[in-house]
Amino acid sequence: MLEAIRGAISLLRQKQILHKLGVAISVTVIGIACYVLYHMLRGIDTFEVIEAIKGTDLRQIALAALFVAAGYFTLTFYDLFAVRAIGHRNVPYRVNALAAFTSYSIGHNVGASVFTGGAVRYRIYSNWGLNAIDVAKICFLAGLTFWLGNAAVLGLGIAYHPEAAASIDQLPPWLNRTVAIAIILALAGYVAWVWSQPRVVGRGPWTVVLPGGPMTLLQIAIGIIDLSFCALAMYVLVPDEPNLGFVVVAVIFVSATLLGFASHSPGGLGVFDAAMLVGLWQMDREDLLAGMLLFRLLYYIAPFVISVILLTFREVILGARSKRLRQAALKLDPGSAPEAAYVRERSDGGA
């Protein structure tokens, strides 16, 4: 059975069917979102939106910013976990934190986060002796943590309150609950599968040993905490009336976020917004839009700017350090300056 599945996937890759299917899904999701967004935003009073932003309590914004910071702090453990899982325990946490924060914040804003985030990670981890295959494994394990967390949050949230998902997918609550229970059972089955014996995916140098049962539970916990902080940030910023409760907002927020990822648009722009407006239709549109704009400022724009500044400073520092090493090596042995500087820089580990 497994060989048949692998053969089918290999054939689909050779024919580029998976790539074409992915592009078609992205275009479809974006097209539907644009249509929905156009109809949802008709009649929106821009002045009222601006006034709603100005009228937002600074304590709410500060609390939302705190939750966003906590969410990004949790994201750093995605990389810490992944790097340790592939055996590179020499990489310190500060490097994991920098790689995770910058790769996710830039990937979220630029789009195609698998490639953009991977490029940022490679630039940082390559100074610590990791190659492209290692970085690919880190991206895979970090992504696995993210999706396990999403599955847990959506499964538990929809099972508890299926009406929340029904506002987006327009399916009957009983069917949403059935799907949620299926997700929870699949998640439990996966945990049991990796708990029973070591599991390996990939071939040759691309082989990845999946985390065992206890470590998988840790992955799920990291993902749940990350998404919970992000959902709390949104919950603080949406209108107080009507009070739908945190679980409803969290389910709609996570669903909208996943739709945004599926579209591959930068920051889920358009898709995320349309899903939120449809899911939280009970709320005043101007007030809701104001909260969503503030969330984008806190979760997307501010971290993106900080990441660009951090990476710029890092490159400047590395460049200055490399220059000093070359000059020092030149004084010691003019004939071996480039080689000595290279060895010194690699042994130092970079910034």
Side-chain angles (χ1 to χ4, degrees), residues 2-351:
L2 289 176
E3 288 299 324
I5 294 174
R6 288 172 180 168
I9 293 176
S10 177
L11 178 62
L12 291 174
R13 286 176 177 170
Q14 291 177 1
K15 300 292 185 180
Q16 293 189 331
I17 294 176
L18 290 177
H19 173 71
K20 294 176 182 177
L21 182 61
V23 172
I25 292 174
S26 297
V27 172
T28 302
V29 171
I30 293 174
I32 294 173
C34 289
Y35 174 81
V36 172
L37 199 59
Y38 170 76
H39 285 276
M40 292 293 295
L41 294 181
R42 282 195 306 178
I44 285 286
D45 191 327
T46 306
F47 177 77
E48 288 188 17
V49 175
I50 296 174
E51 287 300 311
I53 293 175
K54 292 180 179 179
T56 304
D57 193 333
L58 290 178
R59 288 174 296 183
Q60 287 180 265
I61 298 176
L63 184 58
L66 181 63
F67 286 137
V68 168
Y72 272 102
F73 172 70
T74 308
L75 275 179
T76 64
F77 293 98
Y78 283 40
D79 273 49
L80 177 66
F81 178 92
V83 172
R84 297 296 187 273
I86 65 173
H88 288 272
R89 298 182 176 275
N90 62 307
V91 181
Y93 169 73
R94 60 182 175 83
V95 176
N96 300 141
L98 177 66
F101 175 71
T102 54
S103 63
Y104 277 108
S105 57
I106 291 176
H108 284 162
N109 284 275
V110 177
S113 57
V114 172
F115 302 104
T116 54
V120 173
R121 279 191 173 103
Y122 179 76
R123 178 58 184 160
I124 294 173
Y125 285 129
S126 60
N127 283 330
W128 288 84
L130 278 68
N131 56 33
I133 296 177
D134 293 326
V135 173
K137 292 178 180 180
I138 292 170
C139 292
F140 170 77
L141 289 172
L144 181 62
T145 302
F146 171 79
W147 286 108
L148 288 173
N150 272 279
V153 171
L154 279 179
L156 295 172
I158 296 175
Y160 176 75
H161 205 303
E163 292 81 4
S167 62
I168 292 181
D169 58 28
Q170 303 300 308
L171 296 175
W174 67 265
L175 183 56
N176 277 323
R177 178 166 280 156
T178 301
V179 173
I181 293 174
I183 292 174
I184 295 172
L185 291 176
L187 193 60
Y190 174 79
V191 173
W193 181 64
V194 295
W195 204 310
S196 60
Q197 65 182 60
R199 303 292 182 175
V200 178
V201 296
R203 292 181 179 179
W206 298 93
T207 299
V208 178
V209 179
L210 294 176
M215 299 305 292
T216 299
L217 292 179
L218 177 60
Q219 279 184 290
I220 294 173
I222 293 173
I224 291 175
I225 294 171
D226 167 39
L227 290 169
S228 296
F229 278 130
C230 296
L232 279 169
M234 178 59 77
Y235 180 67
V236 169
L237 295 171
V238 298
D240 295 330
E241 297 295 335
N243 188 359
L244 302 178
F246 172 69
V247 174
V248 173
V249 175
V251 170
I252 293 173
F253 170 79
V254 174
S255 301
T257 301
L258 291 182
L259 286 173
F261 278 128
S263 70
H264 295 290
S265 64
L269 191 62
V271 180
F272 171 83
D273 310 278
M276 289 292 293
L277 287 167
V278 171
L280 299 175
W281 58 270
Q282 306 94 327
M283 296 181 176
D284 180 83
R285 288 186 299 172
E286 283 80 7
D287 290 342
L288 176 57
L289 192 57
M292 290 163 55
L293 290 173
L294 286 172
F295 178 82
R296 280 197 173 278
L297 175 64
L298 295 173
Y299 190 78
Y300 291 99
I301 299 176
F304 178 74
V305 173
I306 295 172
S307 293
V308 171
I309 293 173
L310 286 175
L311 290 176
T312 300
F313 275 120
R314 178 182 180 275
E315 293 301 319
V316 171
I317 292 171
L318 286 179
R321 180 181 297 172
S322 177
K323 183 178 179 180
R324 289 197 304 270
L325 290 173
R326 285 196 299 269
Q327 291 174 344
L330 186 61
K331 292 179 180 179
L332 293 173
D333 187 355
S336 62
E339 292 79 4
Y342 175 79
V343 171
R344 290 278 300 278
E345 184 177 2
R346 296 293 291 190
S347 63
D348 183 67

